[in-house]
Coordinates of all heavy atoms in Angstrom, one line a residue:
M1 N 0.8 -1.2 0.0 CA 0.0 0.0 0.0 C 0.9 1.2 0.0 O 1.8 1.3 0.7 CB -0.9 0.0 1.3 CG -2.1 0.7 1.1 SD -3.1 0.7 2.6 CE -3.9 -0.9 2.4
A2 N 0.6 2.2 -0.8 CA 1.4 3.4 -0.9 C 1.4 4.1 0.5 O 0.4 4.2 1.1 CB 0.8 4.3 -2.0
G3 N 2.5 4.7 0.8 CA 2.6 5.4 2.1 C 2.9 4.5 3.3 O 3.3 5.0 4.3
Q4 N 2.8 3.2 3.2 CA 3.1 2.2 4.2 C 4.6 2.0 4.3 O 5.2 1.8 3.2 CB 2.4 0.9 4.1 CG 0.9 1.1 4.2 CD 0.4 1.4 5.6 OE1 1.0 0.9 6.6 NE2 -0.5 2.3 5.7
P5 N 5.3 2.0 5.4 CA 6.6 1.7 5.5 C 6.9 0.2 5.1 O 6.1 -0.6 5.2 CB 7.1 1.9 6.9 CG 5.8 1.8 7.7 CD 4.7 2.2 6.7
D6 N 8.1 0.0 4.5 CA 8.5 -1.4 4.3 C 8.5 -2.3 5.6 O 8.8 -1.7 6.6 CB 9.8 -1.5 3.6 CG 9.8 -0.9 2.2 OD1 8.8 -1.0 1.5 OD2 10.8 -0.4 1.7
L7 N 8.3 -3.5 5.4 CA 8.4 -4.5 6.6 C 9.6 -5.3 6.4 O 9.9 -5.9 5.3 CB 7.2 -5.4 6.7 CG 7.2 -6.5 7.7 CD1 7.3 -5.8 9.1 CD2 6.1 -7.4 7.6
V8 N 10.5 -5.2 7.4 CA 11.8 -6.0 7.4 C 11.7 -7.0 8.5 O 11.6 -6.6 9.7 CB 13.0 -5.1 7.6 CG1 14.2 -5.9 7.7 CG2 13.1 -4.1 6.5
L9 N 11.7 -8.3 8.1 CA 11.9 -9.4 9.1 C 13.4 -9.7 9.3 O 14.0 -10.1 8.5 CB 11.2 -10.7 8.7 CG 9.7 -10.6 8.4 CD1 9.2 -11.8 7.7 CD2 9.0 -10.3 9.7
L10 N 13.9 -9.2 10.5 CA 15.3 -9.2 10.7 C 15.6 -10.4 11.7 O 15.3 -10.5 12.8 CB 15.7 -7.9 11.4 CG 17.2 -7.8 11.7 CD1 18.0 -7.9 10.4 CD2 17.5 -6.5 12.4
D11 N 16.3 -11.4 11.1 CA 16.8 -12.6 11.8 C 18.1 -12.3 12.5 O 19.1 -12.1 11.7 CB 16.8 -13.8 10.8 CG 17.0 -15.1 11.5 OD1 17.6 -15.2 12.6 OD2 16.7 -16.1 10.9
V12 N 18.2 -12.4 13.7 CA 19.5 -12.1 14.4 C 20.2 -13.3 15.0 O 21.1 -13.1 15.7 CB 19.3 -11.0 15.5 CG1 18.8 -9.7 14.9 CG2 18.3 -11.5 16.6
R13 N 19.8 -14.5 14.4 CA 20.4 -15.7 14.8 C 21.8 -15.8 14.1 O 22.1 -15.0 13.3 CB 19.5 -16.9 14.5 CG 18.2 -16.8 15.4 CD 17.3 -18.0 14.9 NE 17.0 -17.9 13.5 CZ 16.9 -18.9 12.7 NH1 16.9 -20.2 13.2 NH2 16.6 -18.7 11.4
E14 N 22.5 -16.9 14.3 CA 23.7 -17.2 13.6 C 23.5 -17.9 12.3 O 22.4 -18.6 12.1 CB 24.7 -18.1 14.5 CG 25.1 -17.3 15.8 CD 26.0 -16.1 15.5 OE1 26.8 -16.2 14.6 OE2 25.7 -15.0 16.1
P15 N 24.4 -17.8 11.3 CA 24.2 -18.5 10.0 C 23.8 -20.0 10.1 O 23.0 -20.5 9.3 CB 25.5 -18.2 9.3 CG 26.0 -17.0 9.9 CD 25.6 -17.1 11.4
H16 N 24.4 -20.7 11.0 CA 24.2 -22.2 11.1 C 22.7 -22.4 11.6 O 22.1 -23.3 11.1 CB 25.2 -22.9 12.0 CG 25.0 -22.5 13.5 ND1 25.6 -21.5 14.0 CD2 24.3 -23.2 14.4 CE1 25.4 -21.5 15.4 NE2 24.5 -22.5 15.6
E17 N 22.2 -21.5 12.4 CA 20.7 -21.6 12.8 C 19.9 -21.2 11.6 O 18.8 -21.9 11.3 CB 20.4 -20.6 13.9 CG 21.1 -21.0 15.2 CD 20.9 -20.0 16.2 OE1 21.5 -18.8 16.2 OE2 20.1 -20.3 17.2
Y18 N 20.2 -20.3 10.8 CA 19.5 -19.8 9.7 C 19.4 -20.9 8.6 O 18.3 -21.1 8.0 CB 20.1 -18.6 9.0 CG 19.4 -17.9 7.9 CD1 18.3 -17.1 8.2 CD2 19.8 -18.1 6.6 CE1 17.7 -16.5 7.1 CE2 19.1 -17.5 5.6 CZ 18.1 -16.6 5.8 OH 17.5 -16.0 4.8
E19 N 20.4 -21.8 8.5 CA 20.5 -22.9 7.6 C 19.4 -24.0 8.0 O 18.9 -24.7 7.2 CB 21.8 -23.5 7.5 CG 22.7 -22.6 6.7 CD 22.3 -22.3 5.3 OE1 21.9 -23.1 4.6 OE2 22.5 -21.1 4.9
I20 N 19.2 -24.1 9.3 CA 18.3 -25.2 9.8 C 16.9 -24.7 9.6 O 16.0 -25.5 9.1 CB 18.5 -25.3 11.4 CG1 19.9 -26.0 11.6 CG2 17.5 -26.3 11.9 CD1 20.3 -25.9 13.1
A21 N 16.5 -23.5 9.9 CA 15.1 -23.0 9.8 C 15.2 -21.5 9.6 O 16.0 -20.7 10.1 CB 14.4 -23.3 11.1
R22 N 14.2 -21.1 8.7 CA 14.1 -19.7 8.4 C 12.7 -19.3 8.1 O 11.9 -20.1 7.5 CB 15.1 -19.2 7.3 CG 14.7 -19.7 5.9 CD 15.8 -19.1 5.0 NE 17.1 -19.8 5.2 CZ 17.5 -20.9 4.5 NH1 16.7 -21.4 3.6 NH2 18.7 -21.5 4.8
I23 N 12.4 -18.0 8.3 CA 11.1 -17.5 7.8 C 11.3 -16.8 6.5 O 12.2 -16.1 6.2 CB 10.5 -16.4 8.8 CG1 10.3 -17.0 10.2 CG2 9.3 -15.7 8.2 CD1 10.0 -16.0 11.3
D24 N 10.5 -17.3 5.5 CA 10.6 -16.8 4.2 C 10.7 -15.3 4.1 O 9.9 -14.6 4.8 CB 9.5 -17.3 3.2 CG 9.6 -18.7 2.8 OD1 10.7 -19.3 2.9 OD2 8.6 -19.3 2.4
G25 N 11.7 -14.7 3.5 CA 11.8 -13.3 3.2 C 12.6 -12.6 4.4 O 12.9 -11.4 4.3
A26 N 12.9 -13.3 5.4 CA 13.7 -12.7 6.5 C 15.2 -12.5 6.1 O 15.8 -13.2 5.3 CB 13.7 -13.7 7.8
R27 N 15.7 -11.4 6.6 CA 17.0 -11.0 6.3 C 17.9 -11.4 7.6 O 17.7 -10.9 8.7 CB 17.0 -9.5 6.1 CG 18.4 -8.9 5.8 CD 18.3 -7.5 5.4 NE 19.7 -7.1 5.1 CZ 19.9 -5.9 4.8 NH1 19.0 -5.0 4.7 NH2 21.2 -5.6 4.5
L28 N 19.0 -12.0 7.3 CA 19.9 -12.4 8.3 C 21.0 -11.4 8.6 O 21.8 -11.1 7.7 CB 20.6 -13.8 8.0 CG 21.6 -14.3 9.0 CD1 21.0 -14.7 10.3 CD2 22.4 -15.5 8.4
I29 N 21.0 -10.9 9.8 CA 22.2 -10.1 10.3 C 22.4 -10.5 11.7 O 21.5 -10.3 12.6 CB 21.9 -8.6 10.3 CG1 21.6 -8.1 8.9 CG2 23.1 -7.9 10.9 CD1 21.3 -6.6 8.8
P30 N 23.3 -11.4 12.0 CA 23.5 -11.9 13.4 C 23.6 -10.8 14.4 O 24.2 -9.8 14.0 CB 24.8 -12.7 13.2 CG 24.9 -13.2 11.8 CD 24.3 -12.0 11.0
L31 N 23.2 -11.0 15.5 CA 23.2 -10.0 16.6 C 24.6 -9.5 16.8 O 24.8 -8.2 17.0 CB 22.7 -10.6 17.9 CG 22.7 -9.6 19.1 CD1 21.7 -8.3 18.8 CD2 22.2 -10.3 20.3
S32 N 25.6 -10.3 16.8 CA 27.0 -9.9 17.0 C 27.5 -8.9 15.9 O 28.4 -8.1 16.1 CB 27.9 -11.0 17.0 OG 27.9 -11.8 15.8
E33 N 26.9 -9.0 14.7 CA 27.2 -8.0 13.6 C 26.4 -6.8 13.5 O 26.7 -5.9 12.7 CB 27.1 -8.9 12.3 CG 28.1 -10.0 12.2 CD 27.9 -10.8 10.9 OE1 27.3 -10.3 9.9 OE2 28.4 -11.9 10.8
L34 N 25.3 -6.9 14.1 CA 24.3 -5.8 14.0 C 24.8 -4.4 14.2 O 24.5 -3.5 13.4 CB 23.1 -6.1 14.9 CG 21.8 -5.2 14.7 CD1 21.3 -5.2 13.2 CD2 20.7 -5.6 15.6
P35 N 25.5 -4.1 15.3 CA 26.0 -2.7 15.6 C 26.8 -2.2 14.4 O 26.7 -1.1 14.0 CB 26.9 -2.9 16.8 CG 26.4 -4.1 17.5 CD 26.0 -5.0 16.4
G36 N 27.6 -3.0 13.7 CA 28.4 -2.6 12.5 C 27.6 -2.5 11.2 O 28.2 -2.1 10.3
R37 N 26.4 -3.0 11.2 CA 25.7 -3.1 9.9 C 24.4 -2.3 10.0 O 23.5 -2.5 9.1 CB 25.4 -4.6 9.6 CG 26.7 -5.4 9.4 CD 26.4 -6.8 9.1 NE 25.6 -7.1 7.9 CZ 25.3 -8.2 7.5 NH1 25.5 -9.3 8.2 NH2 24.5 -8.4 6.4
L38 N 24.2 -1.4 10.9 CA 23.0 -0.6 11.0 C 22.7 0.1 9.7 O 21.5 0.3 9.4 CB 23.1 0.3 12.2 CG 23.1 -0.3 13.6 CD1 23.3 0.7 14.7 CD2 21.8 -1.1 13.8
R39 N 23.7 0.6 9.1 CA 23.5 1.4 7.8 C 22.8 0.6 6.7 O 22.3 1.2 5.8 CB 24.8 1.9 7.3 CG 25.5 2.9 8.2 CD 26.7 3.5 7.6 NE 27.3 4.4 8.6 CZ 28.5 5.0 8.4 NH1 29.2 4.7 7.3 NH2 29.0 5.8 9.3
E40 N 22.8 -0.7 6.8 CA 22.1 -1.6 5.9 C 20.6 -1.5 6.0 O 19.9 -2.1 5.1 CB 22.7 -3.0 5.9 CG 24.1 -3.2 5.7 CD 24.6 -4.6 5.8 OE1 23.8 -5.5 5.7 OE2 25.8 -4.8 6.1
L41 N 20.1 -1.0 7.1 CA 18.7 -1.0 7.4 C 18.1 0.4 7.2 O 18.7 1.3 7.5 CB 18.4 -1.4 8.9 CG 19.0 -2.8 9.3 CD1 18.9 -3.1 10.8 CD2 18.1 -3.9 8.5
D42 N 16.8 0.4 6.6 CA 16.2 1.6 6.4 C 15.4 2.0 7.7 O 14.6 1.4 8.3 CB 15.1 1.4 5.4 CG 14.3 2.5 5.0 OD1 14.4 3.6 5.6 OD2 13.5 2.5 4.0
G43 N 15.8 3.2 8.2 CA 15.3 3.8 9.4 C 13.8 4.1 9.3 O 13.2 4.2 10.4
R44 N 13.3 4.1 8.2 CA 11.8 4.3 8.0 C 11.0 3.0 8.0 O 9.8 3.1 8.1 CB 11.5 5.1 6.7 CG 12.2 6.5 6.7 CD 12.2 7.0 5.3 NE 13.1 6.1 4.5 CZ 13.2 6.3 3.3 NH1 12.7 7.2 2.6 NH2 14.1 5.4 2.6
A45 N 11.7 1.9 7.9 CA 11.0 0.6 7.8 C 10.4 0.1 9.1 O 11.0 0.5 10.1 CB 11.9 -0.4 7.2
E46 N 9.4 -0.7 9.0 CA 8.9 -1.4 10.3 C 9.8 -2.7 10.3 O 9.9 -3.4 9.4 CB 7.5 -1.8 10.0 CG 7.0 -2.6 11.2 CD 5.5 -3.0 11.1 OE1 4.9 -2.7 10.1 OE2 5.0 -3.6 12.0
I47 N 10.5 -2.8 11.4 CA 11.4 -3.9 11.6 C 11.0 -4.8 12.7 O 10.6 -4.4 13.8 CB 12.8 -3.4 11.9 CG1 13.4 -2.5 10.8 CG2 13.8 -4.6 12.2 CD1 14.7 -1.8 11.1
V48 N 10.8 -6.1 12.3 CA 10.5 -7.1 13.3 C 11.7 -8.0 13.5 O 12.1 -8.7 12.6 CB 9.2 -8.0 12.9 CG1 8.9 -9.0 13.9 CG2 8.0 -7.0 12.7
T49 N 12.2 -8.0 14.7 CA 13.4 -8.8 15.0 C 13.0 -10.2 15.4 O 11.9 -10.3 16.1 CB 14.3 -8.1 16.0 OG1 13.6 -8.1 17.3 CG2 14.8 -6.8 15.7
H50 N 13.8 -11.2 15.2 CA 13.5 -12.5 15.7 C 14.8 -13.4 15.8 O 15.7 -13.0 15.1 CB 12.4 -13.3 14.9 CG 12.8 -13.8 13.5 ND1 12.8 -13.0 12.4 CD2 13.2 -15.0 13.2 CE1 13.3 -13.7 11.4 NE2 13.5 -14.9 11.8
C51 N 14.7 -14.3 16.7 CA 15.8 -15.3 16.9 C 15.2 -16.6 17.2 O 14.1 -16.9 16.6 CB 16.7 -14.8 18.1 SG 15.8 -14.6 19.7
H52 N 15.8 -17.4 18.0 CA 15.3 -18.8 18.3 C 14.1 -18.7 19.2 O 13.0 -19.2 18.9 CB 16.4 -19.7 18.8 CG 16.0 -21.1 18.9 ND1 16.7 -22.0 19.6 CD2 15.0 -21.8 18.3 CE1 16.2 -23.2 19.5 NE2 15.1 -23.1 18.7
H53 N 14.3 -18.1 20.4 CA 13.2 -18.1 21.3 C 12.8 -16.7 21.8 O 11.8 -16.5 22.5 CB 13.6 -18.9 22.6 CG 13.6 -20.4 22.4 ND1 12.4 -21.1 22.2 CD2 14.6 -21.3 22.2 CE1 12.8 -22.4 22.0 NE2 14.1 -22.5 22.0
G54 N 13.6 -15.7 21.4 CA 13.2 -14.3 21.7 C 14.2 -13.5 22.6 O 14.0 -12.3 22.7
V55 N 15.2 -14.1 23.1 CA 16.1 -13.3 23.9 C 17.0 -12.4 23.1 O 17.1 -11.2 23.3 CB 17.0 -14.3 24.8 CG1 18.1 -13.5 25.6 CG2 16.1 -15.1 25.7
R56 N 17.6 -12.9 22.1 CA 18.5 -12.1 21.2 C 17.7 -11.0 20.5 O 18.3 -10.0 20.2 CB 19.3 -13.0 20.3 CG 20.4 -13.7 20.9 CD 21.1 -14.7 20.0 NE 20.1 -15.9 19.8 CZ 20.4 -16.8 19.0 NH1 21.5 -16.9 18.3 NH2 19.5 -17.9 18.9
S57 N 16.5 -11.4 20.1 CA 15.7 -10.4 19.3 C 15.4 -9.2 20.2 O 15.2 -8.1 19.7 CB 14.4 -11.0 18.8 OG 13.5 -11.5 19.7
L58 N 15.2 -9.4 21.5 CA 14.9 -8.3 22.4 C 16.2 -7.5 22.6 O 16.1 -6.2 22.7 CB 14.5 -8.8 23.8 CG 13.0 -9.4 23.8 CD1 12.7 -9.9 25.2 CD2 12.0 -8.2 23.5
Q59 N 17.3 -8.1 22.6 CA 18.6 -7.3 22.6 C 18.7 -6.5 21.4 O 19.2 -5.3 21.3 CB 19.8 -8.2 22.8 CG 19.8 -8.9 24.1 CD 20.9 -10.0 24.2 OE1 21.3 -10.7 23.2 NE2 21.4 -10.3 25.4
A60 N 18.4 -7.1 20.2 CA 18.4 -6.4 18.9 C 17.5 -5.2 18.9 O 17.8 -4.1 18.4 CB 18.1 -7.3 17.8
L61 N 16.3 -5.4 19.5 CA 15.3 -4.3 19.6 C 15.9 -3.2 20.3 O 15.8 -2.0 19.9 CB 14.0 -4.9 20.2 CG 12.9 -3.9 20.4 CD1 11.6 -4.5 20.0 CD2 12.9 -3.4 21.8
A62 N 16.5 -3.4 21.5 CA 17.0 -2.3 22.3 C 18.1 -1.7 21.6 O 18.3 -0.4 21.6 CB 17.6 -3.0 23.6
L63 N 18.9 -2.4 20.9 CA 20.0 -1.8 20.1 C 19.5 -0.9 19.0 O 20.0 0.3 18.8 CB 20.9 -2.9 19.5 CG 22.2 -2.5 18.9 CD1 23.2 -3.7 19.0 CD2 22.1 -2.1 17.4
L64 N 18.5 -1.4 18.3 CA 17.9 -0.6 17.2 C 17.3 0.7 17.7 O 17.5 1.8 17.2 CB 17.0 -1.4 16.4 CG 17.6 -2.5 15.5 CD1 16.6 -3.5 15.0 CD2 18.4 -1.9 14.4
K65 N 16.5 0.5 18.8 CA 15.8 1.7 19.3 C 16.9 2.7 19.8 O 16.7 3.9 19.6 CB 14.9 1.3 20.4 CG 13.7 0.7 19.9 CD 12.5 0.6 21.0 CE 11.3 0.1 20.3 NZ 10.2 0.9 20.3
G66 N 18.0 2.2 20.5 CA 19.0 3.1 20.9 C 19.7 3.8 19.8 O 20.3 4.9 20.0
A67 N 19.7 3.2 18.6 CA 20.3 3.8 17.4 C 19.3 4.7 16.7 O 19.7 5.2 15.6 CB 20.8 2.7 16.5
G68 N 18.1 4.9 17.2 CA 17.2 5.9 16.6 C 16.1 5.2 15.7 O 15.4 5.9 15.1
F69 N 16.1 3.9 15.6 CA 15.1 3.2 14.8 C 13.8 3.3 15.6 O 13.7 2.8 16.7 CB 15.4 1.8 14.5 CG 16.5 1.7 13.5 CD1 17.9 1.8 13.9 CD2 16.3 1.4 12.2 CE1 18.9 1.7 13.0 CE2 17.3 1.4 11.2 CZ 18.6 1.4 11.6
A70 N 12.7 3.8 15.1 CA 11.5 4.1 15.9 C 10.5 3.0 15.8 O 9.8 2.7 16.7 CB 10.9 5.4 15.4
N71 N 10.4 2.3 14.6 CA 9.3 1.3 14.4 C 9.9 -0.1 14.4 O 10.1 -0.7 13.4 CB 8.7 1.7 13.0 CG 7.4 1.1 12.9 OD1 6.8 0.4 13.8 ND2 6.8 1.2 11.7
V72 N 10.2 -0.5 15.7 CA 10.8 -1.8 15.8 C 10.0 -2.7 16.8 O 9.5 -2.1 17.9 CB 12.3 -1.7 16.3 CG1 13.0 -3.1 16.4 CG2 13.1 -0.8 15.5
R73 N 9.8 -3.9 16.5 CA 9.2 -4.9 17.4 C 10.0 -6.2 17.4 O 10.8 -6.4 16.5 CB 7.8 -5.2 16.9 CG 6.9 -4.0 17.0 CD 5.4 -4.3 16.6 NE 5.4 -4.5 15.1 CZ 4.5 -5.3 14.5 NH1 3.7 -5.9 15.2 NH2 4.7 -5.4 13.2
S74 N 9.7 -7.0 18.4 CA 10.4 -8.3 18.5 C 9.2 -9.4 18.4 O 8.2 -9.3 19.0 CB 11.1 -8.5 19.9 OG 11.6 -9.8 20.0
L75 N 9.6 -10.5 17.7 CA 8.6 -11.6 17.5 C 8.7 -12.4 18.8 O 9.6 -13.1 19.0 CB 9.0 -12.4 16.3 CG 8.2 -13.7 16.1 CD1 6.7 -13.3 15.7 CD2 8.7 -14.4 14.9
Q76 N 7.7 -12.3 19.6 CA 7.6 -13.1 20.9 C 7.7 -14.5 20.7 O 6.9 -15.1 19.8 CB 6.3 -12.6 21.6 CG 6.2 -13.3 23.0 CD 5.0 -12.9 23.7 OE1 4.1 -12.1 23.3 NE2 4.9 -13.4 25.0
G77 N 8.6 -15.2 21.3 CA 8.8 -16.6 21.2 C 9.7 -17.0 20.1 O 9.9 -18.2 19.9
G78 N 10.1 -16.1 19.2 CA 11.0 -16.3 18.2 C 10.5 -17.3 17.1 O 9.3 -17.5 17.0
I79 N 11.5 -17.8 16.3 CA 11.1 -18.7 15.2 C 10.5 -20.0 15.7 O 9.7 -20.6 15.0 CB 12.3 -18.9 14.3 CG1 11.9 -19.5 13.0 CG2 13.4 -19.8 15.0 CD1 12.9 -19.5 11.9
D80 N 10.8 -20.3 16.9 CA 10.2 -21.6 17.5 C 8.6 -21.3 17.6 O 7.8 -22.2 17.2 CB 10.8 -21.9 18.8 CG 10.3 -23.3 19.4 OD1 10.7 -24.3 18.6 OD2 9.6 -23.4 20.4
A81 N 8.2 -20.2 18.1 CA 6.8 -19.9 18.3 C 6.1 -19.8 17.0 O 5.0 -20.2 16.6 CB 6.6 -18.6 19.1
W82 N 6.9 -19.2 15.9 CA 6.4 -19.1 14.5 C 6.1 -20.4 14.0 O 5.1 -20.7 13.4 CB 7.5 -18.3 13.7 CG 7.1 -18.1 12.3 CD1 7.3 -19.0 11.2 CD2 6.5 -17.0 11.8 NE1 6.9 -18.4 10.1 CE2 6.3 -17.2 10.3 CE3 6.0 -15.8 12.3 CZ2 5.7 -16.3 9.5 CZ3 5.4 -14.9 11.5 CH2 5.2 -15.1 10.1
S83 N 7.0 -21.4 14.2 CA 6.9 -22.8 13.7 C 5.6 -23.4 14.3 O 4.8 -24.1 13.6 CB 8.1 -23.6 14.0 OG 7.9 -24.9 13.6
V84 N 5.4 -23.2 15.6 CA 4.2 -23.8 16.3 C 2.9 -23.1 15.9 O 1.9 -23.8 15.7 CB 4.5 -23.7 17.8 CG1 3.2 -24.1 18.6 CG2 5.6 -24.6 18.3
G85 N 2.9 -21.8 15.9 CA 1.7 -21.1 15.7 C 1.3 -20.6 14.3 O 0.2 -20.3 14.0
V86 N 2.3 -20.5 13.4 CA 2.1 -19.8 12.1 C 2.4 -20.8 10.9 O 1.6 -21.0 10.1 CB 2.9 -18.5 12.0 CG1 2.6 -18.0 10.6 CG2 2.5 -17.5 13.0
D87 N 3.6 -21.3 10.9 CA 4.0 -22.1 9.8 C 4.8 -23.4 10.3 O 5.9 -23.4 10.5 CB 5.0 -21.3 9.0 CG 5.4 -22.0 7.6 OD1 5.0 -23.2 7.5 OD2 6.1 -21.4 6.8
P88 N 4.0 -24.5 10.4 CA 4.6 -25.7 10.9 C 5.6 -26.3 9.9 O 6.3 -27.3 10.3 CB 3.4 -26.7 11.1 CG 2.3 -26.1 10.3 CD 2.6 -24.6 10.2
E89 N 5.7 -25.8 8.7 CA 6.8 -26.2 7.8 C 8.2 -25.8 8.2 O 9.1 -26.3 7.7 CB 6.4 -25.7 6.4 CG 5.1 -26.3 5.8 CD 5.2 -27.9 5.5 OE1 6.2 -28.3 5.0 OE2 4.2 -28.5 5.9
V90 N 8.2 -24.7 9.0 CA 9.5 -24.2 9.5 C 10.0 -25.3 10.6 O 9.2 -25.5 11.6 CB 9.3 -22.8 10.1 CG1 10.7 -22.4 10.8 CG2 9.0 -21.9 9.0
P91 N 11.1 -25.9 10.4 CA 11.6 -26.9 11.3 C 11.8 -26.3 12.7 O 12.2 -25.1 12.8 CB 12.9 -27.4 10.7 CG 12.8 -27.0 9.3 CD 12.0 -25.8 9.2
R92 N 11.6 -27.1 13.7 CA 11.9 -26.7 15.1 C 13.2 -27.4 15.4 O 13.5 -28.5 15.0 CB 10.8 -27.2 16.1 CG 9.5 -26.5 15.8 CD 8.5 -26.9 16.7 NE 8.8 -26.4 18.1 CZ 8.3 -26.8 19.2 NH1 7.5 -27.8 19.3 NH2 8.6 -26.1 20.4
Y93 N 14.0 -26.6 16.2 CA 15.3 -27.2 16.7 C 15.6 -26.8 18.1 O 14.9 -26.0 18.7 CB 16.4 -26.8 15.7 CG 16.8 -25.3 15.7 CD1 17.8 -24.9 16.5 CD2 15.9 -24.5 15.0 CE1 18.1 -23.5 16.4 CE2 16.2 -23.0 15.0 CZ 17.3 -22.6 15.7 OH 17.6 -21.2 15.7

């Protein structure tokens, strides 16, 4: 829809985790790399962070908000909850 910000699903897990299971369309930037890669993200976009169970995604949310990103949320329960509640084709690990 015109005027709506882009939606970015930001996966902050490690590459080996991303190989096991991923949400289609999610962009991988591991939490450890995120501080140095902030310029790769659009500050106007709606960003939803996720990890395995939700701990790292909350850290990423805090980091992004601290860097001035205003429209950031964390996927509660992470990709594991996504697999259980949204898409059972996403493997659980």
Side-chain angles (χ1 to χ4, degrees):
M1 205 181 280
Q4 293 292 321
D6 289 333
L7 175 64
V8 175
L9 298 174
L10 182 60
D11 189 334
V12 297
R13 298 174 302 143
E14 293 299 315
H16 70 275
E17 294 174 284
Y18 186 82
E19 289 301 316
I20 295 168
R22 72 182 67 97
I23 297 173
D24 285 340
R27 180 170 181 185
L28 177 66
I29 300 180
L31 180 61
S32 62
E33 297 177 16
L34 188 56
R37 296 179 63 184
L38 293 175
R39 292 183 185 174
E40 297 177 28
L41 299 170
D42 181 353
R44 298 165 296 178
E46 177 181 358
I47 300 173
V48 178
T49 63
H50 72 277
C51 61
H52 190 195
H53 289 288
V55 175
R56 288 172 285 178
S57 65
L58 288 173
Q59 294 172 333
L61 178 138
L63 190 152
L64 291 166
K65 286 194 175 241
F69 289 82
N71 198 3
V72 184
R73 294 180 289 150
S74 173
L75 178 63
Q76 184 176 0
I79 197 167
D80 191 63
W82 180 271
S83 177
V84 171
V86 178
D87 185 357
E89 296 294 316
V90 173
R92 294 182 73 199
Y93 65 101

